[in-house]
Amino acid sequence: MTKEKRKDLEVAITIQKHIFHHPFYNWCGDFEDSMKILIVGDTCYAGRFADFSLQTGQMSEKKLQIYWCVSDPSTRENYLKQRPALREFVSVDKTQCAAGKEPYAYLDFKSTEEYLDSFSEECRYIFVATDDMLHNQETAELFKQAVREDCLASYLYGDRIEVSFNRKQDTLEHIETQEAGSRLSSEEELERMAFNTHRIWEGPGNLDYEKARERFMEPYNFKSSAAFVLSIPYKLRSVGIKETNPYDAAVRMNRIIEEAAGGADPEKAEMLKKLSVLEHRRWVLEKVTEGAVRLTDKNGNACYRTCVDRASIQKRDSEGNLLMHPCIVRSTCSSSLNAGIYKDHSVWDRLSPADAELDELDLVSVQLHRTMFAAAKRLRSHREPFMALLDELRSICEREGGLVKRNYDRYFFCIENILDSSLPYAAQFETYEKMLRKNTDTFSKGHKLRAEKLMDGIRRMLYPALESNQYRDYKRYNEELTAHLPFILTGKKDVHLCMPLGEASSVRGNNEDFFRSVASATALYAEKLTYLYSFEYTTNSAILESKLKAVRNYFDYRGKSCEIKIVVFVSKEVRVQRKKELENILVRAEKTGYIQQYQIMISENTDIMIKQVSDAVRNSGADFYDGTVSLTGSAIVNGFITAAISKLVPYFEFDSYNKKFVSCVNCDYLKYIRLSSFIQVEDMFALMNAQDKEFNYQDYADTYRTYWSIYCGDAIGVKDFSLCARSWTKVSNILRSGGGNCLRINGQDMGTPDKREARVVAKMLQALKEGGFLTFLNITPQNRVSVHIADKKVKRIFARAGEILEIYVYFEACRTGWFDDVQTGYRFRWEFDDVTNELDCVLTKGYRSLLVECKSTKDMDESFYLTLDSLADHFGIGCKKVLIAVTDTNGSSYGNYVSRGKQMDIITISQKTDLDRIGEKLKEIMMM
């Protein structure tokens, strides 16, 4: 950071804290139509105070009037020159804004004499920052005495701002908030809410909390987030919310949001629109006072093509300063791209007469989209340079192999879908790119640099396709911040949770139980966890140790540092040998880093235990107690514990299936968190401490639909789905003969006496040949097959008759772009046994999972259901179970097996109509 930038940051923070302490509206009566501020001085402090006053003081139905007394005329000239777009939005010295539009504020420059002669009684909020530091207080007093009413006069003294009052004192309730027995300083409150704002700007999904915190501390992000926080109480007052305590204000704001939901209360919906417009005004003035202008060409016309060339809608200089942005325009409540004909995205793609009805910001959204849409069409038509970058990146990743190759394949598959205009995949591109970029950390230095450069180039060229697929409504960004106001006001950072670890009495743990121990910590991005654990004579020590290991594995895999302490309450009935066993487990856990600290307490009786638990919670310093999991096996004892603890710290329970905080005591504000984090399949493996894990990625993104059309009969004109499945089994038997390396099949018997099957087998082989998968096909009158297989990749798909079914389900689930994670082909074993398990397909959404077992079989078998039920019982989290069985559904036993599956909560899918839309079908099941 340059010396000038550091100085500007220090000035900005000093002023922001001052305005946070002493809001302008405290010096403006409810019935006054304007807030009037006086600035005196020619220093950088005076200029930045004007900037933050313009940004912060945006209220509906209250005019913002700023008088600025300068002694040097060049101060005015330099200020306006450095902010060339200011006059478009602010009336300067009574001049009109561009095109006569309503000003966002009024800024009048005066000499001191002129002000004292004509306006001395107008301003009740005064800020003095002259070069004469020793006389700033005296100057502030001079202006203060000229005001006959209550007023605040602040002045620069060294590098701090001092305050003097005339009659009444300032209201400071909103500065220090008493909540849950702790007090936060104004600086901590400002930073807390600013960080919450930054978290919203980081976007949805699994937040990299540590990196988000690093980015938050970058000067631009910190200033911008803090500027938003300063404006919140002004916005809230614009809709009648005057509570100065953030938690009280959040309650009122949340009520407005709930009443406006779905258009239930049009008046409240209008309030939210008003707040979004005010936020856009604030944002525009933030950019304008930083010197940025609207993105135009030299003739002043909007110029969006340069956004494609830069792969960014922003134009910055070499030092990162924002120069141009297309959204530096006006916004209103009158138009919306969420309503009317624009709900149909095809209207965005072409010029429409309805464009004339859009406000400036909505028109920017539509016109930017059309520019990106046209550029994306050009990319699709001339993709050779783009594919060259992908091919080079693929060659690097193939040399690395394993997980790197799999992640490249998913990245490539995502890009192909984006080029095919898939909106969901455009939204998920960041996830796939992040996964692959993370892999480059293991590359050699040369490969890492080259791979990162290639990915940068790919992203740059893909940019218009990414943007056009997402139909960005820039007004929605303001609406999102408005919708998150209750969270921004109340959300905590660096959360410390206290909660029971759960039971460890079963022979083998399960993911549902293990996940309950980390679910709320995942949702809150907890920095510290204090677990409470009741060690009884039935406790399985191996499960306890496994659970501690699993928790650490889980957080490590998610890249979330979390300090873990455990307090264990040991019943006096537990024998000495078992107590020693417990201590050994905890010592090992501490040495291996599973936990950072432990404490053992001997409980003589229930009353003593309840007191010990209360003391442990109180002494932990935790912000919340999560009572989702019971501490003991006694409902009565747990009830006493809950009653005692809920008086000490805020208490909640967490419904992970629905991602909701419930049973909240003194922490209702947790309900304001709009959870967007999710679990991945690898998280589930981490929780289970899975051993010998293998993953068979299906590398058939470009061909699976061709195979499927043959398998299901569409490509060969056969409508009997069951017959096609049986015939495909015969095809698989033929083509996998001779072993994995054998690509030439000579005289292999077709394996069926059924003439109908034989005809279908022949048609399938011919279709595979026409698709380029087989060559030199010959079928004798005796139904003996000779053929050459194109390559080993084709050979692999016939390794099992049901392989194509898994591949099809996997890619169709991926194509929806709705699931947070989709994986297939896993083989693993549990920590405590030697049996190898297989997972055909696992999908996740939020904190739920869906396990899919795929069977292409002539006869149904109860073992299919039992295996799936067992896997889901141990591996699933909030689990749905689906058996996809391509079989004869007309058989007498089919209905019996389906009924048996229902008893196990397993949904059976066999109809071709469901399989033709299997991605959407699985989505519907997950949403049930």
Side-chain angles (χ1 to χ4, degrees):
M1 189 188 303
T2 64
K3 185 177 180 181
E4 291 76 14
K5 278 195 170 186
R6 185 177 299 281
K7 174 64 175 175
D8 181 67
L9 177 62
E10 291 170 354
V11 171
I13 292 174
T14 300
I15 293 170
Q16 285 178 324
K17 287 178 179 178
H18 171 74
I19 295 174
F20 187 67
H21 269 278
H22 307 285
F24 304 137
Y25 55 74
N26 278 346
W27 303 93
C28 173
D30 290 342
F31 300 104
E32 294 179 43
D33 63 357
S34 61
M35 288 187 297
K36 296 179 180 179
I37 300 166
L38 171 64
I39 303 170
V40 181
D42 299 82
T43 61
C44 62
Y45 277 90
R48 293 305 267 154
F49 197 91
D51 292 342
F52 287 117
S53 299
L54 290 167
Q55 298 169 34
T56 304
Q58 294 301 309
M59 295 179 71
S60 62
E61 299 170 8
K62 270 205 192 298
K63 184 174 74 173
L64 176 62
Q65 172 70 64
I66 301 173
Y67 293 105
W68 186 353
C69 292
V70 296
S71 57
D72 184 348
S74 66
T75 300
R76 176 186 182 279
E77 294 171 14
N78 290 334
Y79 182 82
L80 296 177
K81 184 179 179 180
Q82 291 165 9
R83 296 154 181 81
L86 187 70
R87 289 176 181 269
E88 294 180 34
F89 303 96
V90 175
S91 169
V92 179
D93 292 332
K94 301 294 187 291
T95 59
Q96 285 191 331
C97 292
K101 294 176 181 175
E102 180 191 359
Y104 289 174
Y106 297 82
L107 175 61
D108 293 333
F109 290 88
K110 305 288 181 184
S111 67
T112 300
E113 294 77 14
E114 183 183 5
Y115 177 82
L116 289 173
D117 287 345
S118 306
F119 306 96
S120 60
E121 296 186 16
E122 291 200 12
C123 296
R124 295 164 58 196
Y125 197 108
I126 302 166
F127 176 71
V128 179
T130 70
D131 288 319
D132 190 353
M133 203 71 70
L134 296 176
H135 292 87
N136 277 342
Q137 180 179 5
E138 182 181 324
T139 304
E141 289 295 323
L142 171 68
F143 281 96
K144 186 178 76 171
Q145 295 305 320
V147 181
R148 295 180 182 179
E149 300 181 64
D150 302 334
C151 78
L152 173 150
S154 53
Y155 56 92
L156 187 66
Y157 187 78
D159 59 356
R160 68 181 188 271
I161 298 173
E162 299 288 351
V163 180
S164 174
F165 299 102
N166 195 16
R167 299 199 183 111
K168 82 164 188 177
Q169 296 289 305
D170 205 358
T171 303
L172 296 173
E173 278 184 65
H174 76 296
I175 302 304
E176 297 191 10
T177 306
Q178 184 74 32
E179 191 272 323
S182 63
R183 294 187 77 86
L184 294 175
S185 69
S186 60
E187 286 79 6
E188 290 171 321
E189 275 287 86
L190 177 59
E191 185 174 328
R192 175 184 67 80
M193 289 189 274
F195 181 61
N196 290 340
T197 304
H198 179 73
R199 284 174 62 177
I200 305 305
W201 279 332
E202 285 276 315
N206 286 336
L207 179 72
D208 188 328
Y209 195 83
E210 275 71 29
K211 286 190 177 178
R213 194 156 43 188
E214 287 177 17
R215 287 190 287 268
F216 168 64
M217 294 312 296
E218 293 172 7
Y220 172 83
N221 291 331
F222 184 91
K223 282 193 297 182
S224 188
S225 300
F228 175 82
V229 172
L230 293 180
S231 73
I232 290 175
Y234 300 83
K235 294 190 183 80
L236 295 182
R237 284 177 170 252
S238 296
V239 292
I241 299 175
K242 298 179 181 179
E243 281 77 0
T244 55
N245 182 298
Y247 298 88
D248 295 337
V251 171
R252 297 244 351 241
M253 184 64 212
N254 191 62
R255 192 177 304 138
I256 292 174
I257 293 169
E258 288 179 344
E259 291 174 0
D265 187 332
E267 184 181 347
K268 298 299 191 300
E270 279 301 309
M271 286 183 178
L272 296 184
K273 286 183 182 179
K274 182 192 293 186
L275 292 176
S276 297
V277 170
L278 288 173
E279 167 49 24
H280 186 69
R281 286 169 57 159
R282 184 209 65 79
W283 179 88
V284 165
L285 288 171
E286 178 191 323
K287 303 310 170 195
V288 165
T289 53
E290 293 286 348
V293 299
R294 184 186 177 191
L295 186 64
T296 60
D297 59 22
K298 60 183 180 182
N299 297 318
N301 300 315
C303 184
Y304 301 130
R305 180 59 195 270
T306 57
C307 298
V308 176
D309 300 334
R310 282 193 308 276
S312 172
I313 64 170
Q314 302 176 4
K315 182 178 180 181
R316 295 181 178 273
D317 63 19
S318 58
E319 295 183 356
N321 299 310
L322 183 66
L323 302 176
M324 288 185 169
H325 198 292
C327 294
I328 298 179
V329 295
R330 292 171 181 266
S331 177
T332 67
C333 299
S334 59
S335 69
S336 174
L337 298 175
N338 294 323
I341 66 169
Y342 290 95
K343 290 182 75 173
D344 177 2
H345 280 167
S346 65
V347 178
W348 289 54
D349 298 340
R350 60 186 182 275
L351 286 172
S352 168
D355 290 355
E357 303 300 319
L358 297 177
D359 69 19
E360 292 179 14
L361 184 57
D362 282 337
L363 193 58
V364 167
S365 296
V366 171
Q367 290 179 342
L368 253 177
H369 166 79
R370 288 172 187 156
T371 303
M372 298 297 169
F373 185 75
K377 284 181 70 175
R378 291 193 295 271
L379 173 64
R380 294 182 185 104
S381 301
H382 305 90
R383 62 175 71 184
E384 292 80 9
F386 181 66
M387 296 307 295
L389 297 181
L390 283 165
D391 289 342
E392 186 179 349
L393 181 60
R394 173 188 277 133
S395 67
I396 294 174
C397 294
E398 284 178 343
R399 283 196 290 270
E400 298 292 332
L403 180 62
V404 178
K405 174 63 168 60
R406 294 201 300 270
N407 284 341
Y408 172 82
D409 289 339
R410 298 190 72 179
Y411 170 80
F412 181 77
F413 181 66
C414 175
I415 288 173
E416 282 197 318
N417 278 280
I418 291 168
L419 293 175
D420 288 339
S421 302
S422 168
L423 187 151
Y425 268 95
Q428 290 196 350
F429 176 74
E430 295 278 353
T431 300
Y432 292 111
E433 185 190 45
K434 188 185 294 184
M435 289 166 62
L436 189 57
R437 282 188 183 274
K438 189 175 181 181
N439 292 147
T440 63
D441 292 340
T442 64
F443 290 11
S444 65
K445 185 177 179 180
H447 277 175
K448 176 180 171 65
L449 290 173
R450 184 58 186 160
E452 289 178 343
K453 188 173 181 179
L454 286 168
M455 280 190 278
D456 290 341
I458 290 165
R459 169 179 272 276
R460 190 179 187 88
M461 294 183 73
L462 190 64
Y463 178 74
L466 279 168
E467 288 298 303
S468 64
N469 284 358
Q470 295 188 69
Y471 294 85
R472 289 192 189 276
D473 176 359
Y474 288 96
K475 198 173 279 184
R476 288 287 299 164
Y477 290 95
N478 302 320
E479 292 168 356
E480 277 295 300
L481 281 169
T482 300
H484 281 91
L485 276 173
F487 163 73
I488 291 169
L489 287 164
T490 61
K492 284 182 171 291
K493 70 185 187 79
D494 303 335
V495 169
H496 181 177
L497 272 182
C498 184
M499 65 183 298
L501 181 61
E503 296 182 11
S505 55
S506 60
V507 176
R508 183 167 69 185
N510 65 74
N511 260 354
E512 192 77 58
D513 170 47
F514 280 26
F515 184 66
R516 277 195 292 267
S517 302
V518 296
S520 61
T522 303
L524 294 170
Y525 295 95
E527 288 286 291
K528 293 182 180 180
L529 263 173
T530 297
Y531 282 121
L532 308 182
Y533 188 74
S534 176
F535 191 85
E536 301 169 3
Y537 67 92
T538 58
T539 298
N540 185 321
S541 300
I543 293 294
L544 171 60
E545 188 166 17
S546 175
K547 204 166 192 177
L548 293 173
K549 177 183 176 183
V551 168
R552 175 54 63 197
N553 285 344
Y554 172 83
F555 284 119
D556 286 349
Y557 176 76
R558 291 180 71 87
K560 180 70 184 76
S561 62
C562 186
E563 182 182 320
I564 298 173
K565 174 184 176 181
I566 185 168
V567 182
V568 184
F569 306 95
V570 182
S571 169
K572 70 173 184 178
E573 286 112 17
V574 175
R575 291 176 297 182
V576 174
Q577 183 179 350
R578 293 272 284 148
K579 292 175 184 174
K580 186 64 178 174
E581 183 182 317
L582 167 66
E583 189 164 9
N584 289 338
I585 287 171
L586 297 176
V587 168
R588 281 198 302 272
E590 190 176 43
K591 284 183 177 179
T592 52
Y594 300 159
I595 59 175
Q596 279 63 59
Q597 190 179 353
Y598 70 87
Q599 183 180 3
I600 298 175
M601 306 181 81
I602 307 299
S603 303
E604 294 292 329
N605 55 51
T606 300
D607 290 339
I608 289 176
M609 180 187 179
I610 293 171
K611 185 178 185 309
Q612 288 173 330
V613 171
S614 298
D615 290 342
V617 172
R618 183 188 295 109
N619 295 333
S620 70
D623 298 305
F624 304 100
Y625 184 86
D626 177 359
T628 310
V629 179
S630 298
L631 180 59
T632 76
S634 167
I636 295 174
V637 173
N638 289 326
F640 282 124
I641 289 172
T642 298
I645 289 174
S646 58
K647 295 175 182 176
L648 300 173
V649 295
Y651 174 95
F652 68 83
E653 294 172 16
F654 186 59
D655 174 4
S656 61
Y657 187 81
N658 294 302
K659 297 173 77 171
K660 290 183 177 179
F661 293 91
V662 297
S663 303
C664 297
V665 179
N666 296 324
C667 57
D668 276 348
Y669 50 85
L670 290 177
K671 298 175 182 177
Y672 307 149
I673 301 174
R674 298 185 171 201
L675 296 175
S676 62
S677 59
F678 55 87
I679 55 169
Q680 294 177 287
V681 177
E682 287 289 347
D683 296 328
M684 299 165 72
F685 278 115
L687 277 174
M688 286 308 297
N689 298 320
Q691 310 291 309
D692 301 332
K693 188 174 59 179
E694 296 177 9
F695 177 75
N696 179 29
Y697 178 77
Q698 307 296 359
D699 184 17
Y700 297 96
D702 52 345
T703 56
Y704 81 95
R705 281 183 168 247
T706 305
Y707 284 118
W708 178 256
S709 68
I710 299 170
Y711 173 89
C712 70
D714 289 348
I716 58 174
V718 178
K719 295 184 178 180
D720 188 330
F721 193 30
S722 177
L723 172 61
C724 288
R726 295 197 305 273
S727 302
W728 184 271
T729 299
K730 304 302 186 294
V731 171
S732 297
N733 291 339
I734 294 166
L735 297 181
R736 72 166 169 262
S737 62
N741 295 319
C742 179
L743 300 181
R744 295 188 177 188
I745 310 298
N746 294 310
Q748 181 69 30
D749 185 67
M750 199 175 278
T752 177
D754 187 315
K755 290 183 179 180
R756 289 179 69 220
E757 272 190 19
R759 283 196 296 271
V760 176
V761 169
K763 285 184 176 183
M764 287 181 166
L765 289 168
Q766 182 61 34
L768 288 167
K769 178 187 175 184
E770 292 170 1
F773 306 116
L774 306 176
T775 58
F776 303 109
L777 173 64
N778 180 53
I779 303 175
T780 69
Q782 294 77 32
N783 284 339
R784 289 193 169 275
V785 179
S786 297
V787 68
H788 291 186
I789 302 171
D791 54 41
K792 289 183 180 180
K793 180 179 173 181
V794 174
K795 179 88 176 183
R796 276 201 317 273
I797 206 168
F798 297 100
R800 292 183 301 129
E803 191 84 1
I804 180 57
L805 185 57
E806 291 179 25
I807 292 169
Y808 172 72
V809 170
Y810 168 74
F811 282 114
E812 288 297 292
C814 287
R815 281 188 73 84
T816 67
W818 184 79
F819 296 98
D820 291 322
D821 196 16
V822 181
Q823 300 284 6
T824 185
Y826 269 109
R827 292 176 178 82
F828 67 98
R829 65 179 178 84
W830 306 118
E831 184 178 17
F832 296 113
D833 63 37
D834 296 321
V835 178
T836 298
N837 301 273
E838 295 185 14
L839 291 170
D840 288 349
C841 198
V842 187
L843 304 87
T844 70
K845 182 67 177 178
Y847 298 158
R848 306 181 192 181
S849 62
L850 192 156
L851 268 61
V852 181
E853 184 79 4
C854 299
K855 295 295 178 184
S856 182
T857 178
K858 182 178 180 181
D859 300 308
M860 293 287 279
D861 192 298
E862 187 178 22
S863 65
F864 301 161
Y865 292 97
L866 295 174
T867 300
L868 176 57
D869 190 53
S870 176
L871 280 170
D873 183 49
H874 292 295
F875 187 73
I877 295 174
C879 191
K880 301 276 189 181
K881 299 168 283 188
V882 173
L883 176 68
I884 298 178
V886 178
T887 187
D888 183 2
T889 59
N890 297 318
S892 58
S893 63
Y894 176 78
N896 295 331
Y897 284 120
V898 172
S899 297
R900 177 74 175 118
K902 285 182 179 178
Q903 294 172 7
M904 302 179 193
D905 294 322
I906 296 175
I907 296 170
T908 305
I909 297 175
S910 297
Q911 299 300 321
K912 184 174 180 297
T913 51
D914 287 331
L915 284 165
D916 284 343
R917 54 183 299 275
I918 191 62
E920 290 301 317
K921 182 69 177 178
L922 294 174
K923 177 180 172 181
E924 290 166 7
I925 291 170
M926 186 71 110
M927 294 172 70
M928 288 167 52

